[in-house]
Amino acid sequence: MHEFQSDHQTVRLVTSAALRAAVAWSQRENRTEAWREVSRMTGVVMKVFGPADTSFTPAMLIEKLYQPLSALVGPSSPVSDVVLLDADGSLSDAAVDIACEYAEGLFPNSADPSQDWLPSWTWQQQEQVERAVYSGLIASADQRAYEATRRFLIEHPAGDGRKLIELRNKAGARSVAKYDPIGSERVWPGGGSGYWWPCPVCRWPMRVRPPMVSCDFRHHDARFRLADPTSPEGQPLLSSLTESHRSPDAIATDGSVCLELSVWRHITVPGISELALERDLQKIEDVQVGMWAGLDAIDLLVQVAGRKLEVDVKDQVDPFMIAAKPPTAAHVVVPDYRAAQLPVLRELLAEKKIWTSSQFVKHVRAQGGQQR
Ligand SMILES: [Zn+2]
């Protein structure tokens, strides 16, 4: 076990360093610091592989960022197939979709020279993002405000700035995370201030890379193509490339804001699976569901036929990372799109009951709940 853990730590360190180098490289034309960051990350990778690898150069690291990460982390990690840079040198979708879960602080003594310009999702872990967002709410021990606030960040990751404040007040949610103007990589630059599209699943602005418009989180399966011509009013139109979703309407960028990427990726995205499970369970008669009981001691408290089931929902790329910080609840649920994790999780968390979301809903129904 010990040997495995150190292996796993190696994957985290190397992926984290590679991700930072890739982000830096993709910004090298605007950021003089980028070059220094790439050599610093070359040093991190070299140190992980041991002093025997002194021949490793920044140029070699950059070359590897255009290839599957297996060249750096070996063949058996969920991150092995990830390529961080696309052929044109821009950051790949997989960088945000997968690699970002491996990010961690490489400089533990807050001596990170790049924190003032590298985006926080390249060096913050999920728990750090959660702590930054929720710690004040948890300290005030107000379960209702906590629940309302958490739900709000999941359901309203973007929108009209003024409307969002109205909605937030109405929901009894607190202002705990910043909303910023929508980044240029998520804007179609035409028709005045430009347009953006919310992902049909998470409602956060999709990435615009003409002619493609897509959500950075692959499991939302939101992929569209810019249609030609535009609408009679001059708004750009999308045509859907998947059967899952109809095309959303374009929204004018003026006045629109969104959560920063790390809050969306670490709070909104996993929250969608939690709320989807809540919704499915509430469709069963005689079932009560409490969300984030005890200020998130557990994700869902499900009451059915006089029994209480404690549930944690885990929507993470790497089952080993879930097992490294075992959930509190007796039942661990993964989204259906992570069904492949079940065998590994059952082995790693032998004392827990592991389910996909639909398996767990079926289980609760069998406990005595009736379909409403
Ligand atoms: Zn999405």
Side-chain angles (χ1 to χ4, degrees), residues 199-204 215-217 220 222 264:
C199 163
V201 178
C202 66
R203 299 173 220 182
W204 202 65
C215 178
D216 286 337
F217 193 68
H220 292 167
W264 162 75

PDB file of all heavy atoms in Angstrom, residues 199-204 215-217 220 222 264, ligand 1:
ATOM      1  N   CYS A 199     -23.959  26.185 -21.022  1.00  0.00           N
ATOM      2  CA  CYS A 199     -24.058  24.732 -21.236  1.00  0.00           C
ATOM      3  C   CYS A 199     -25.454  24.296 -20.800  1.00  0.00           C
ATOM      4  O   CYS A 199     -25.929  24.720 -19.756  1.00  0.00           O
ATOM      5  CB  CYS A 199     -22.990  24.017 -20.413  1.00  0.00           C
ATOM      6  SG  CYS A 199     -23.289  22.246 -20.192  1.00  0.00           S
ATOM      7  N   PRO A 200     -26.135  23.458 -21.596  1.00  0.00           N
ATOM      8  CA  PRO A 200     -27.491  23.037 -21.223  1.00  0.00           C
ATOM      9  C   PRO A 200     -27.535  22.271 -19.895  1.00  0.00           C
ATOM     10  O   PRO A 200     -28.580  22.189 -19.275  1.00  0.00           O
ATOM     11  CB  PRO A 200     -27.912  22.119 -22.374  1.00  0.00           C
ATOM     12  CG  PRO A 200     -26.983  22.434 -23.494  1.00  0.00           C
ATOM     13  CD  PRO A 200     -25.711  22.916 -22.888  1.00  0.00           C
ATOM     14  N   VAL A 201     -26.400  21.717 -19.452  1.00  0.00           N
ATOM     15  CA  VAL A 201     -26.397  20.946 -18.202  1.00  0.00           C
ATOM     16  C   VAL A 201     -25.982  21.823 -17.014  1.00  0.00           C
ATOM     17  O   VAL A 201     -26.688  21.914 -16.023  1.00  0.00           O
ATOM     18  CB  VAL A 201     -25.447  19.730 -18.305  1.00  0.00           C
ATOM     19  CG1 VAL A 201     -25.417  18.952 -16.989  1.00  0.00           C
ATOM     20  CG2 VAL A 201     -25.881  18.829 -19.449  1.00  0.00           C
ATOM     21  N   CYS A 202     -24.838  22.498 -17.109  1.00  0.00           N
ATOM     22  CA  CYS A 202     -24.324  23.225 -15.942  1.00  0.00           C
ATOM     23  C   CYS A 202     -24.601  24.732 -16.013  1.00  0.00           C
ATOM     24  O   CYS A 202     -24.438  25.432 -15.021  1.00  0.00           O
ATOM     25  CB  CYS A 202     -22.825  22.967 -15.778  1.00  0.00           C
ATOM     26  SG  CYS A 202     -21.808  23.634 -17.106  1.00  0.00           S
ATOM     27  N   ARG A 203     -24.993  25.239 -17.161  1.00  0.00           N
ATOM     28  CA  ARG A 203     -25.340  26.652 -17.354  1.00  0.00           C
ATOM     29  C   ARG A 203     -24.146  27.613 -17.261  1.00  0.00           C
ATOM     30  O   ARG A 203     -24.314  28.820 -17.148  1.00  0.00           O
ATOM     31  CB  ARG A 203     -26.423  27.092 -16.363  1.00  0.00           C
ATOM     32  CG  ARG A 203     -27.690  26.313 -16.550  1.00  0.00           C
ATOM     33  CD  ARG A 203     -28.691  26.633 -15.468  1.00  0.00           C
ATOM     34  NE  ARG A 203     -29.360  25.393 -15.071  1.00  0.00           N
ATOM     35  CZ  ARG A 203     -30.318  25.314 -14.166  1.00  0.00           C
ATOM     36  NH1 ARG A 203     -30.711  26.397 -13.549  1.00  0.00           N
ATOM     37  NH2 ARG A 203     -30.870  24.166 -13.863  1.00  0.00           N
ATOM     38  N   TRP A 204     -22.942  27.081 -17.209  1.00  0.00           N
ATOM     39  CA  TRP A 204     -21.749  27.931 -17.234  1.00  0.00           C
ATOM     40  C   TRP A 204     -21.384  28.191 -18.695  1.00  0.00           C
ATOM     41  O   TRP A 204     -21.701  27.376 -19.565  1.00  0.00           O
ATOM     42  CB  TRP A 204     -20.609  27.210 -16.503  1.00  0.00           C
ATOM     43  CG  TRP A 204     -19.528  28.100 -16.005  1.00  0.00           C
ATOM     44  CD1 TRP A 204     -19.633  29.072 -15.049  1.00  0.00           C
ATOM     45  CD2 TRP A 204     -18.148  28.076 -16.416  1.00  0.00           C
ATOM     46  NE1 TRP A 204     -18.404  29.656 -14.834  1.00  0.00           N
ATOM     47  CE2 TRP A 204     -17.485  29.073 -15.660  1.00  0.00           C
ATOM     48  CE3 TRP A 204     -17.421  27.325 -17.335  1.00  0.00           C
ATOM     49  CZ2 TRP A 204     -16.120  29.331 -15.801  1.00  0.00           C
ATOM     50  CZ3 TRP A 204     -16.065  27.586 -17.477  1.00  0.00           C
ATOM     51  CH2 TRP A 204     -15.434  28.576 -16.722  1.00  0.00           C
ATOM     52  N   CYS A 215     -18.954  22.604 -23.813  1.00  0.00           N
ATOM     53  CA  CYS A 215     -18.684  22.688 -22.379  1.00  0.00           C
ATOM     54  C   CYS A 215     -17.357  22.002 -22.100  1.00  0.00           C
ATOM     55  O   CYS A 215     -17.065  20.943 -22.647  1.00  0.00           O
ATOM     56  CB  CYS A 215     -19.799  22.005 -21.579  1.00  0.00           C
ATOM     57  SG  CYS A 215     -19.470  22.037 -19.789  1.00  0.00           S
ATOM     58  N   ASP A 216     -16.555  22.610 -21.234  1.00  0.00           N
ATOM     59  CA  ASP A 216     -15.253  22.035 -20.889  1.00  0.00           C
ATOM     60  C   ASP A 216     -15.388  20.704 -20.154  1.00  0.00           C
ATOM     61  O   ASP A 216     -14.433  19.940 -20.094  1.00  0.00           O
ATOM     62  CB  ASP A 216     -14.472  22.995 -19.976  1.00  0.00           C
ATOM     63  CG  ASP A 216     -13.928  24.178 -20.738  1.00  0.00           C
ATOM     64  OD1 ASP A 216     -13.757  24.063 -21.957  1.00  0.00           O
ATOM     65  OD2 ASP A 216     -13.670  25.226 -20.101  1.00  0.00           O
ATOM     66  N   PHE A 217     -16.554  20.448 -19.562  1.00  0.00           N
ATOM     67  CA  PHE A 217     -16.728  19.198 -18.827  1.00  0.00           C
ATOM     68  C   PHE A 217     -17.368  18.175 -19.771  1.00  0.00           C
ATOM     69  O   PHE A 217     -18.544  18.242 -20.085  1.00  0.00           O
ATOM     70  CB  PHE A 217     -17.592  19.409 -17.583  1.00  0.00           C
ATOM     71  CG  PHE A 217     -17.550  18.247 -16.631  1.00  0.00           C
ATOM     72  CD1 PHE A 217     -16.388  17.949 -15.931  1.00  0.00           C
ATOM     73  CD2 PHE A 217     -18.659  17.451 -16.427  1.00  0.00           C
ATOM     74  CE1 PHE A 217     -16.334  16.867 -15.055  1.00  0.00           C
ATOM     75  CE2 PHE A 217     -18.622  16.367 -15.556  1.00  0.00           C
ATOM     76  CZ  PHE A 217     -17.454  16.081 -14.862  1.00  0.00           C
ATOM     77  N   HIS A 220     -20.875  16.382 -19.776  1.00  0.00           N
ATOM     78  CA  HIS A 220     -22.125  17.081 -20.068  1.00  0.00           C
ATOM     79  C   HIS A 220     -22.532  16.896 -21.530  1.00  0.00           C
ATOM     80  O   HIS A 220     -23.643  17.221 -21.908  1.00  0.00           O
ATOM     81  CB  HIS A 220     -21.995  18.575 -19.726  1.00  0.00           C
ATOM     82  CG  HIS A 220     -21.869  18.797 -18.259  1.00  0.00           C
ATOM     83  ND1 HIS A 220     -21.487  19.990 -17.696  1.00  0.00           N
ATOM     84  CD2 HIS A 220     -22.082  17.952 -17.203  1.00  0.00           C
ATOM     85  CE1 HIS A 220     -21.461  19.872 -16.379  1.00  0.00           C
ATOM     86  NE2 HIS A 220     -21.803  18.649 -16.067  1.00  0.00           N
ATOM     87  N   ALA A 222     -22.025  18.400 -24.206  1.00  0.00           N
ATOM     88  CA  ALA A 222     -22.577  19.602 -24.844  1.00  0.00           C
ATOM     89  C   ALA A 222     -21.591  20.091 -25.900  1.00  0.00           C
ATOM     90  O   ALA A 222     -20.591  20.734 -25.581  1.00  0.00           O
ATOM     91  CB  ALA A 222     -22.816  20.679 -23.797  1.00  0.00           C
ATOM     92  N   TRP A 264     -16.556  26.928 -10.510  1.00  0.00           N
ATOM     93  CA  TRP A 264     -17.440  26.154 -11.388  1.00  0.00           C
ATOM     94  C   TRP A 264     -17.018  24.679 -11.398  1.00  0.00           C
ATOM     95  O   TRP A 264     -17.828  23.781 -11.195  1.00  0.00           O
ATOM     96  CB  TRP A 264     -17.403  26.715 -12.819  1.00  0.00           C
ATOM     97  CG  TRP A 264     -17.927  25.758 -13.848  1.00  0.00           C
ATOM     98  CD1 TRP A 264     -19.239  25.447 -14.079  1.00  0.00           C
ATOM     99  CD2 TRP A 264     -17.158  24.948 -14.736  1.00  0.00           C
ATOM    100  NE1 TRP A 264     -19.330  24.496 -15.072  1.00  0.00           N
ATOM    101  CE2 TRP A 264     -18.064  24.174 -15.490  1.00  0.00           C
ATOM    102  CE3 TRP A 264     -15.787  24.806 -14.973  1.00  0.00           C
ATOM    103  CZ2 TRP A 264     -17.648  23.273 -16.471  1.00  0.00           C
ATOM    104  CZ3 TRP A 264     -15.366  23.907 -15.944  1.00  0.00           C
ATOM    105  CH2 TRP A 264     -16.294  23.165 -16.684  1.00  0.00           C
TER     106      TRP A 264
HETATM  107 ZN    ZN B   1     -21.490  21.925 -18.678  1.00  0.00          ZN
END
